Amino acid sequence: MVKKSRRVIFAVLASTALVSTGLTGSAGADEKNLVPSSSAAGPYVDAEAQLAEVRAAQLHSEGRWAGSADPGKKGLQRETREDLYPKFTDKELADRVAEDQKRRANAPAPDPDAGEVMATELVAEGLRVDIYTPPPGMSPEHLADILRKQGKKGVEVVRHGKAAAMPMAPGDCAYGSARTFTCPVAFWTNNGFEDPLVRFNDHTPAQWPVTNAVYKWHQTPNIDSAYRFNSCPFQAGARCVDVVSANYGPVWTGRWSGFFPTATQSGPYRENGQVIQLNDYYTPAGWTRNNTVTHEMGHALGLGHNVYSNDVMYFQANMREDIGGENPALLASIYSVYR
């Protein structure tokens, strides 16, 4: 098909390596700020075993998973709510970018030692990539040490670096303080649609506001997000990202896990296998569940960690819930060409 003209197209600058890796460092953490949940969170669940079970359901049950929570009102929600969350116009997106820039001018300087915890492993399905979000008070190094002790392979702390902490002009991998998680970029293919269609298949209880997060990200031009509850039947060209929750213990607040079809950590995602896991263990203190859901969906669409601490895509869970302007502007830039 012939690609229609886009609403938002940014000049693409030469790609620049934005991060450097580091596998050393102290593992200190101010764990008194980490508030465990009550026993209502239930017994611990093995995150890897659950992940395998959900991925099997993706392939064999049209998105239905036996571990889904009672849908309650979620089961009645629409796929999109453009009446309440319409797509951003060029002007609206430009105004939001200006708001981000003003906010950044008054914000503390970014921490050049901050980074994200990532694990990569080559498996039969392709290159598996996991990105973890620690709670406030837990350093990336401490979380990385926990994961290694649990036997997780390929764990590293990916640094933003001082150069990457500087605001950047529109480009393929960065815009202002927003970043993609890999450079060259990771992305969803159009598969015959004008905009790639990503359906988020929710299996979580009411405490996780998955619907709200989906509707917010759907405002981004050039890529469409849709909400489903425990049902994601085959639709030619579309794909499903499952969202689940459980008590995973005192580790991360959220994890995104997905695949690339080859050993290269960039380019198109594998069409299935993406899962977001949300941790019921913690009672939010200094962060919100809305922040965590919105953050993990940003990863599923192609974003990395924003370098400013009061952004929803910052590497630690926090209080910010709005997607800002530079995050959707960067995504709109990624998907402004036919991929």
Side-chain angles (χ1 to χ4, degrees):
M1 64 173 284
V2 177
K3 185 67 178 174
K4 297 179 183 178
S5 61
R6 290 296 191 172
R7 293 179 287 273
V8 178
I9 299 179
F10 296 105
V12 177
L13 305 182
S15 296
T16 304
L18 300 178
V19 297
S20 60
T21 59
L23 299 178
T24 61
S26 62
D30 187 8
E31 294 193 350
K32 66 177 181 289
N33 292 328
L34 308 184
V35 181
S37 178
S38 68
S39 59
Y44 288 174
V45 170
D46 185 313
E48 290 296 321
Q50 183 197 61
L51 192 66
E53 183 180 318
V54 172
R55 282 177 168 152
Q58 280 184 339
L59 298 175
H60 302 295
S61 66
E62 291 196 330
R64 290 184 294 275
W65 177 54
S68 289
D70 183 331
K73 293 182 179 179
K74 284 187 172 186
L76 304 176
Q77 297 304 308
R78 303 182 201 171
E79 290 196 357
T80 60
R81 288 300 306 265
E82 290 199 24
D83 55 327
L84 301 177
Y85 299 87
K87 289 283 190 181
F88 296 137
T89 65
D90 286 354
K91 184 180 184 306
E92 288 170 340
L93 200 56
D95 288 345
R96 294 176 71 88
V97 168
E99 289 176 8
D100 271 4
Q101 293 171 347
K102 185 182 299 184
R103 168 181 57 86
R104 189 170 63 236
N106 299 320
D111 179 1
D113 294 324
E116 58 194 352
V117 181
M118 180 181 291
T120 56
E121 181 182 4
L122 191 60
V123 295
E125 296 87 349
L127 184 67
R128 173 177 166 177
V129 178
D130 297 350
I131 299 178
Y132 298 85
T133 304
M138 182 181 288
S139 69
E141 293 83 1
H142 186 68
L143 177 54
D145 280 351
I146 292 174
L147 294 170
R148 293 184 188 112
K149 289 174 182 176
Q150 290 178 343
K152 184 66 179 175
K153 299 178 181 178
V155 177
E156 60 181 345
V157 177
V158 181
R159 300 289 183 193
H160 296 312
K162 292 183 179 179
M166 300 299 291
M168 301 184 72
D172 210 28
C173 301
Y175 186 22
S177 61
R179 301 288 183 267
T180 58
F181 80 85
T182 183
C183 191
V185 297
F187 56 86
W188 292 107
T189 54
N190 290 68
N191 286 356
F193 290 96
E194 180 183 0
D195 301 334
L197 174 59
V198 181
R199 297 179 292 170
F200 289 94
N201 190 16
D202 183 17
H203 308 280
T204 67
Q207 68 194 45
W208 292 104
V210 177
T211 50
N212 178 261
V214 172
Y215 299 154
K216 286 184 292 185
W217 283 118
H218 182 65
Q219 296 174 105
T220 300
N222 304 336
I223 183 166
D224 295 336
S225 300
Y227 177 80
R228 305 280 307 181
F229 189 91
N230 197 32
S231 173
C232 202
F234 174 78
Q235 180 180 353
R239 67 280 297 173
C240 304
V241 175
D242 282 81
V243 185
V244 300
S245 74
N247 178 1
Y248 307 116
V251 283
W252 31 269
T253 57
R255 173 171 78 167
W256 166 83
S257 181
F259 294 103
F260 293 93
T262 68
T264 302
Q265 188 186 317
S266 62
Y269 292 117
R270 186 170 178 262
E271 285 295 300
N272 50 47
Q274 276 214 36
V275 178
I276 291 170
Q277 291 175 291
L278 307 167
N279 195 352
D280 294 332
Y281 174 81
Y282 297 109
T283 297
W287 60 283
T288 70
R289 290 193 174 97
N290 193 309
N291 166 273
T292 296
V293 177
T294 305
H295 178 109
E296 301 307 327
M297 285 186 184
H299 287 320
L301 296 174
L303 289 176
H305 285 150
N306 198 292
V307 300
Y308 279 86
S309 59
N310 59 350
D311 191 272
V312 71
M313 293 303 299
Y314 190 59
F315 83 97
Q316 285 181 328
N318 57 61
M319 299 296 291
R320 185 75 183 270
E321 297 177 349
D322 183 81
I323 63 174
E326 291 173 341
N327 293 318
L330 179 56
L331 282 179
S333 176
I334 292 172
Y335 294 105
S336 65
V337 296
Y338 192 87
R339 295 186 182 275

